[in-house]
Amino acid sequence: MADDGNACKGPESSTDNYNEDDEGTIDMNTFFRARNTLLLTLVLAHMTAGSAELEEIVVTAQKRSESLQDVPISMTALDGKRMEDAGVASFSELARYVPNFSISENAVNTIITMRGISIGANQSFEQPVGIYVDGVHYGKSRHARNALFDIQQVEVLRGPQGILFRKNTLAGAVNITTAEPTLGAGTSGQVAVSAESYDGEIVEASANYSPSEKMGFRVAFKDRQREGYNDNGFANEVNGYATEMPSTDETMFRVTAVLQPTDNTTIKLKHS
C-alpha cells in the first residue's frame, strides 16, 4: 500500500511542477511582448520626429518653383549655407559633393564630365554639360573656372536637358542661383576673412538693405589671392612670369536689386 501511496503522490508532484513551469513561461511571454511593444513605440516616435524635422527643398530645375520630390529628374541640390560651411568656392570643389560629376583643368581647357560623358581631349568641341548662373549660359568651358560666391542654391541635373536648357546639355546641366536681398529685413551684412594653403587669403563680404517689403538691395564682394605650388625656374623679372604657378588672383562683386510691386510681379536686376 505504501507503494500505491507513493505512486499516487508522483503524479501530484509532477502536476505541481508543470504548473510552475507554465506560469513562468507565461510570465516570460508577457515580458517579451511588452518589450517588443515598447521598442516599436520608440521607433515609431523617432520616425515621426525625424519626419517632422525634414524641410521642403524648393528647386527651379523646370523653370518654376517646385518641391524636389515632385521633379522627375535625377538631381542634386545644395544650398548656399551648406556650401559656405563646406568651403566650396569653385566648380571643381563643387564636384566633390555631387555624384557622377567631375571637373578637371589643364593648361588650356576645362573638362566637365557628367555620367562619364565629356569632350575629352577635343578642345574644339562644345561641353556636354551646360552651366547657367541666374539663367545666363556660360558658353565657354573656361567660364567654369570662375569662383563661386554669395550663392543661394546650386542644382546639378543629370541627363539630357535640351527641352528646358537648350543646346550643350546632352549629359546634364548646372543651374546656379545667386543670393538675393531679403525683403523687409532692414539692414544686415557679414564679413568673412580666411586663409588657405600656399599663402592664400580670402575676403568675402555681403550687405543687405531693404527699405520696405517691396524693395531690396544686396551687394556682395570677394577677393582671393593664392600662390602656386610649382616653382617656375624660367621666370624672372625680365620676362615677367610668375615664379610660382598656378597662382590665383580674383576680385569679384555683384549688385542685386529686387522690386516687388505686387504679389504676382517681381523685377530683378543683377550686375556682376
Side-chain angles (χ1 to χ4, degrees), residues 245-268:
M245 301 175 63
S247 60
T248 301
D249 186 0
E250 299 175 333
T251 301
M252 297 155 288
F253 74 93
R254 182 184 299 115
V255 180
T256 305
V258 175
L259 178 63
Q260 192 175 25
T262 64
D263 295 338
N264 299 325
T265 304
T266 302
I267 302 174
K268 301 179 182 179

Side-chain angles (χ1 to χ4, degrees), residues 105-107 142 145 196-201 224-232 235 240-251:
E105 299 179 0
N106 55 38
R142 291 184 67 89
R145 301 191 182 190
E196 56 183 349
S197 57
Y198 303 104
D199 298 329
E201 297 179 356
R224 183 185 182 191
Q225 308 288 336
R226 184 186 184 190
E227 301 295 338
Y229 49 83
N230 289 330
D231 293 331
N232 185 2
Y241 290 107
T243 57
E244 296 180 347
M245 301 175 63
S247 60
T248 301
D249 186 0
E250 299 175 333
T251 301

Side-chain angles (χ1 to χ4, degrees), residues 10-29:
E12 293 179 359
S13 177
S14 63
T15 302
D16 294 339
N17 292 336
Y18 174 79
N19 291 335
E20 291 177 359
D21 294 341
D22 189 40
E23 290 177 359
T25 302
I26 294 175
D27 292 339
M28 291 300 295
N29 290 337

